[in-house]
Amino acid sequence: IMYLSNNAFLMRPEQDLRLDAEEGDQRVAFWVRAAAVAGGDDPMDELNRYTTNDAAFPVYTLDEMKLIRAEAAARTGDLGTARTLINEVRTQCAAAGAIATEPMACLAALPGAQLDTEAEVLAEILRQRRYELFLMGLRYEDLRRFGEPLKYTWIPYPSTECQRNPNTPQGGSVWMCP
């Protein structure tokens, strides 16, 4: 999808995905490869996925469903179920010699002591969603839903919507008219 435009060579991920990852997380290599390409604010990496016109593009992953269930369990107080689902996502590995067709962390399970509060469980779910669902367009809404700081503080409504709809927010909110 990205590589069909004439500007596709400019589309690269920021290095913080790779640099902030837990050591040994195999999802990083699934999505990106290390590079030192000059970027607008920070150096950029190269993509490993969606670099050809016929690359498979997932609509959802099974691990996304597990993380949705884990979040629902955590927000309703069922931390045991949430921990189990998080660890299922963390410990999934490709078979020896197999080529991964979906992101798999292949990390050790976290002990219950590291996930014994709702806040810790939700923070781990957000971290797992970052690496599991990279490039799927869900990060902004995840950060907003979890109450985390946003890199961009506002997204403007189209000017036609601002002119025609008196109910569009005017300044001061995340979603606003310019």
Side-chain angles (χ1 to χ4, degrees):
I1 292 173
M2 294 185 300
Y3 281 84
L4 296 178
S5 75
N6 290 332
N7 294 332
F9 67 94
L10 298 173
M11 296 179 177
R12 293 185 172 91
E14 294 177 350
Q15 285 185 338
D16 64 348
L17 176 84
R18 180 175 49 85
L19 299 176
D20 294 346
E22 188 174 337
E23 187 175 335
D25 192 334
Q26 293 182 9
R27 293 173 293 194
V28 174
F30 179 84
W31 294 116
V32 301
R33 63 182 175 273
V37 179
D41 295 326
D42 298 312
M44 311 291 261
D45 281 336
E46 293 283 354
L47 290 173
N48 268 343
R49 309 304 301 170
Y50 317 127
T51 57
T52 63
N53 292 346
D54 61 350
F57 188 85
V59 176
Y60 72 93
T61 68
L62 293 176
D63 287 338
E64 177 185 9
M65 299 301 114
K66 289 178 184 177
L67 292 170
I68 290 170
R69 289 176 50 213
E71 183 180 345
R75 291 188 189 275
T76 57
D78 187 359
L79 299 183
T81 299
R83 278 192 295 268
T84 299
L85 291 164
I86 290 169
N87 282 326
E88 285 178 19
V89 171
R90 288 179 55 85
T91 58
Q92 182 183 14
C93 290
I99 296 174
T101 57
E102 66 174 310
M104 293 184 218
C106 207
L107 295 168
L110 292 175
Q114 280 188 265
L115 300 172
D116 60 351
T117 67
E118 182 179 330
E120 290 171 342
V121 170
L122 290 173
E124 185 62 24
I125 290 168
L126 183 60
R127 185 174 16 267
Q128 294 306 313
R129 288 183 64 82
R130 178 182 186 191
Y131 290 96
E132 198 64 38
L133 305 173
F134 184 66
L135 295 178
M136 293 194 189
L138 301 171
R139 184 71 177 159
Y140 183 87
E141 187 55 38
D142 284 349
L143 291 173
R144 215 166 74 94
R145 188 175 72 251
F146 279 79
E148 294 295 318
L150 302 170
K151 185 171 183 175
Y152 304 102
T153 57
W154 63 278
I155 296 177
Y157 281 100
S159 59
T160 54
E161 184 70 16
C162 293
Q163 294 164 359
R164 294 179 184 160
N165 184 350
N167 296 318
T168 52
Q170 302 292 318
S173 69
V174 172
W175 303 90
M176 66 181 164
C177 290

